[in-house]
Amino acid sequence: MTTPEPTPEPGHEPRRASTPEQQPADDFADRSFRSPLGIAGGVFLLLVAALFAGDAMIRGEGRAPWYALAGLVLAVPLIVAFTIRPAVYAGHGRLRIRNPFRTITLPLAQVADIRAGYSSEVFTQDGAKYQLWAVPVSLRQRKKAARKAVRASQDDPHGHVSTAADVRDRASRIAPTDQTVADLREMAAQHAKDPDAQGEVRVRWAYEIVGPAVAGFLLLVILAATA
């Protein structure tokens, strides 16, 4: 006579260890692009402006301290705008371009092309163009990279001298700006169809820069008019 196997009570069944869902691989990590030389130059100019303006405000006579103050209020935002502020942030399906006086939020689906000629520029699907102030083009670095590529192409282990490489080819000029533009272009092409890459282009004026600069300029005008 066979004994029936006991049926496990409800709620006491062994549970399998839960495994996290596999997330799709995505190499589109958040990245930022800025100009270290621009930032260093901006900090230096701010220190110089503060030194001269501070000296004029402390030791100046008559209206000199007011002129120094107005000049400082005008100069500081402009220095920050053109040196420290510019940046390009890539991530979450869009580019955020922070230029001196505007911030452009550009979904990758709207990116038609990114080029680096005499300046770095991004073109949208509707024909608009925005400069990338944070990615300045250095013709000197580009020529240096091209010469290096030509020398590498002529280095033949068998002793034969090969013809010079075509410096117009992207592989033969890997200047930092060209590499950055190539990375941004590749990101845009790979992720243009992502759900979070859709949307409209948004442009916002940098009132935190424009406001103080205008105030400093108006103060200078008032001082000059009432002199």
Side-chain angles (χ1 to χ4, degrees), residues 4-209:
E5 296 181 1
T7 304
E9 297 180 4
H12 294 280
E13 295 182 358
R15 297 180 180 178
R16 296 181 180 179
S18 59
T19 56
E21 295 180 1
Q22 295 293 331
Q23 299 294 334
D26 190 355
D27 58 353
F28 187 34
D30 292 345
R31 300 182 62 183
S32 62
F33 303 88
R34 305 187 73 176
S35 172
L37 290 179
I39 295 174
V43 173
F44 174 76
L45 291 177
L46 288 175
L47 292 176
V48 171
L51 178 64
F52 281 97
D55 182 73
M57 285 187 288
I58 293 174
R59 301 183 182 183
E61 299 179 354
R63 293 196 171 194
W66 289 102
Y67 277 108
L69 177 61
L72 190 64
V73 174
L74 173 62
V76 167
L78 295 180
I79 292 174
V80 172
F82 287 98
T83 59
I84 299 176
R85 174 180 163 80
V88 175
Y89 300 97
H92 301 290
R94 60 198 65 240
L95 295 178
R96 187 160 65 91
I97 305 166
R98 203 168 66 184
N99 284 341
F101 300 112
R102 296 189 302 177
T103 298
I104 302 98
T105 302
L106 189 63
L108 295 183
Q110 295 290 340
V111 176
D113 194 12
I114 304 177
R115 307 174 192 169
Y118 292 102
S119 63
S120 301
E121 300 167 335
V122 56
F123 297 83
T124 64
Q125 299 291 351
D126 58 2
K129 178 179 69 174
Y130 302 100
Q131 285 190 331
L132 305 178
W133 282 78
V135 189
V137 172
S138 173
L139 298 180
R140 178 175 174 273
Q141 290 182 345
R142 182 175 290 173
K143 292 178 181 179
K144 181 179 179 181
R147 289 196 299 267
K148 183 178 180 180
V150 171
R151 289 195 299 267
S153 67
Q154 294 175 342
D155 187 11
D156 191 337
H158 300 288
H160 302 293
V161 178
S162 60
T163 58
D166 183 5
V167 296
R168 295 171 297 178
D169 181 63
R170 188 177 78 85
S172 66
R173 49 182 178 89
I174 317 177
T177 297
D178 297 316
Q179 186 60 54
T180 299
V181 169
D183 292 342
L184 291 174
R185 188 188 299 118
E186 183 179 0
M187 288 181 184
Q190 289 181 353
H191 300 274
K193 296 183 179 180
D194 291 354
D196 56 357
Q198 312 305 313
E200 300 296 328
V201 180
R202 299 197 307 271
V203 180
R204 185 186 73 86
W205 285 94
Y207 296 106
E208 66 276 11
I209 297 292

